[in-house]
Structures are given as structure tokens and as C-alpha cells.
Amino acid sequence: STLSDFNLSVIAATKRSWMPAVTMSRDDAVQRWPVEQYAPCMAALTAVGASAAMVLDSLMDNANAANGVGIGLGLVVAALGGSMLPLELFSDGLMKVSALTPHHWAYEAYSEIQRRGGTISDVLPQLGVLLAMTAVLLPLGAWLLRRSLSRAL
């Protein structure tokens, strides 16, 4: 039947896309995805995201509204930061706007590690920007949350 043919074609296409990753040796995987270099970048980006979420949630009165705004804002910021289109394709003006997003700095760090074989010392400037964003947003979020909670009581 047509449905089973479709299912078989999807399975075949899926197998072709993931089989090379599964069959590569452990050494290739470690060389291609050095966790010790990616982990600090992921942790720094996560810290910025959590801090920004605390700020946003503290400013919103309704949890559903905060979720909607958070998803929408997250998609826009991700797009501006290079998560949906490579930064290399951005115009100069858009690159300046992009530099205001944490995604831009994480993208730059990941690119340095993946494309140019960079190490942690090579991505310290990007990590510094991400940690500076966290250093601003986290205390702001804590202050806003405390203020919001004191109003609720």
C-alpha cells in the first residue's frame, strides 16, 4: 500500500542519515565533539537563558503569558543570534544587532571549536560575554523576583 511504501521510505531515509554517526568510531566521535570544550559553552548559555527567564517571569503577571512571550522572544532572539541562519550570511548591520544576543556568542564559541579546532582558551572571550550577561541578568532577576513576591504577600 502507499502508506507502507511511505513508511519504508521514511525509515530508509532516516537510516541513511543516522547510520554514519552510529558507525563512526569512538575516537572519531571524541575528536569531532570534544565534550570538555563544549560543556562550558553550553553551561554559560544555559545560565544566561535561566537568568533571562527569571527576569521575564518576574515581570509577567500570568504564567501562561510568560510562556507565550518567552517562546516568541526566544525564537526571535535565536534567529537574530544565528541559530537559524549562519552568522556568516548576516549583513553588517544585522551582525551588530546579533552581537546583543547570547546565541551569537555561543555560536561564535561553537564555531571556533568545531570549525577551527579551538580550545577553551580560544573561546574565553565568548564565554566572558556570556558570563557577563549572566552577571547582569541574574541579580536583576533575583531582585525582580523578590519584589514580585513581596507584592504578592
Side-chain angles (χ1 to χ4, degrees), residues 89-152:
L89 301 178
F90 284 19
S91 66
D92 290 339
L94 195 53
M95 276 296 266
K96 290 177 183 172
V97 172
S98 174
L100 299 174
T101 69
H103 299 75
H104 170 93
W105 298 98
Y107 178 94
E108 290 289 335
Y110 295 144
S111 293
E112 182 66 34
I113 293 167
Q114 183 64 32
R115 296 180 187 164
R116 296 180 278 285
T119 62
I120 288 296
S121 61
D122 296 325
V123 297
L124 284 178
Q126 292 88 346
L127 290 175
V129 172
L130 290 170
L131 293 176
M133 289 178 178
T134 301
V136 169
L137 291 172
L138 187 61
L140 177 63
W143 178 75
L144 288 170
L145 181 61
R146 187 175 335 137
R147 189 182 77 160
S148 175
L149 291 174
S150 67
R151 284 186 186 174

